[in-house]
């Protein structure tokens, strides 16, 4: 037997009250990033940019590129990083971020060049380590292998190269150690 539900009368709201309520319910970029919802983050960033409601202190293009990388849209991310590099006094790390995109796009030679333009850091070393494997440059591979540290990201990169080289026992051991 079905029961009829009584509809509750809605409160009449003025346009301003509805606008305030909507504005207070508007999600923040950090909400999407915390949930790893990069598509939602891009949508929010694009909406905010189009409506002129950009969050203060949020570098929209940089966050969009970050989200595109995590969505696997490397060409779109690369285009943004290139735009940022064309601005006066760009952040040198943008070269490293371009190298990441180029690596995933399969342009290993350009990824190597771009990574070398960026600052010396752990990410640069991981990229050059992976590129050395892809280009079969054993000398560079060993050089960058020696620079890897015992941190999760470096160990995952090492495990990946072991796996790609069919060194399965070493890959398993590296991943086991990294998961502890």
């Amino acid at each position: 037997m079905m029961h009829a539900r009584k509809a509750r009368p809605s409160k009449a709201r003025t346009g301003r009250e509805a606008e305030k309520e909507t504005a207070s319910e508007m999600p923040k970029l950090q909400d999407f990033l915390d949930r790893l919802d990069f598509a939602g983050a891009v949508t929010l960033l694009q909406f905010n940019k189009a409506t002129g409601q950009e969050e203060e202190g949020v570098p929209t293009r940089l966050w969009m590129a970050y989200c595109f990388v995590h969505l696997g849209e490397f060409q779109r991310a690369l285009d943004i990083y290139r735009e940022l590099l064309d601005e006066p006094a760009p952040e040198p790390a943008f070269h490293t971020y371009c190298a990441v995109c180029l690596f995933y796009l399969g342009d290993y030679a350009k990824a190597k060049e771009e990574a070398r333009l960026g600052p010396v850091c752990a990410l640069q070393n991981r990229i050059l380590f992976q590129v050395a494997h892809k280009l079969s440059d054993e000398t560079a591979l060993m050089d960058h292998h020696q620079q890897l540290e015992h941190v999760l990201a470096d160990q995952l990169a090492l495990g990946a190269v072991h796996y790609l080289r069919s060194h399965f026992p070493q890959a398993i051991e590296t991943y086991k150690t990294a998961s502890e």
Side-chain angles (χ1 to χ4, degrees), residues 9-156:
S10 64
K11 279 185 165 179
R13 296 182 299 184
T14 65
R16 267 192 198 184
E17 288 173 344
E19 191 176 298
K20 282 182 184 176
E21 186 175 303
T22 303
S24 67
E25 293 176 11
M26 185 70 150
K28 299 283 185 208
L29 175 63
Q30 194 61 49
D31 298 334
F32 290 105
L33 297 176
D34 289 344
R35 292 191 313 264
L36 304 178
D37 181 1
F38 299 110
V42 167
T43 302
L44 177 69
L45 289 165
Q46 289 172 332
F47 173 80
N48 288 347
K49 187 175 181 181
T51 60
Q53 299 177 26
E54 296 180 80
E55 289 181 48
E56 198 169 315
V58 176
T60 302
R61 290 186 300 163
L62 187 55
W63 277 113
M64 285 182 71
Y66 175 86
C67 292
F68 284 140
V69 166
H70 285 83
L71 289 169
E73 295 187 36
F74 302 109
Q75 187 60 56
R76 291 178 78 180
L78 180 61
D79 293 342
I80 293 171
Y81 289 132
R82 292 266 188 236
E83 287 174 14
L84 292 168
L85 280 169
D86 287 340
E87 292 181 355
E91 181 71 35
F94 294 158
H95 288 289
T96 309
Y97 304 154
C98 283
V100 169
C101 296
L102 290 164
F103 176 83
Y104 283 112
L105 290 169
D107 196 342
Y108 306 122
K110 283 187 183 173
K112 180 179 177 179
E113 290 173 26
E114 198 72 43
R116 288 187 172 160
L117 296 173
V120 175
C121 63
L123 177 58
Q124 180 201 48
N125 187 57
R126 285 191 299 275
I127 294 166
L128 293 172
F129 178 63
Q130 296 284 343
V131 165
H133 164 71
K134 292 291 187 180
L135 297 177
S136 301
D137 183 345
E138 292 299 315
T139 304
L141 183 75
M142 294 312 295
D143 288 344
H144 293 291
H145 179 268
Q146 291 173 355
Q147 295 175 43
L148 293 174
E149 298 177 9
H150 291 288
V151 295
L152 182 61
D154 283 2
Q155 293 306 299
L156 293 175

Side-chain angles (χ1 to χ4, degrees), residues 154-168:
D154 283 2
Q155 293 306 299
L156 293 175
L158 177 60
V161 168
H162 281 315
Y163 178 82
L164 292 169
R165 295 167 67 97
S166 299
H167 299 162
F168 302 120

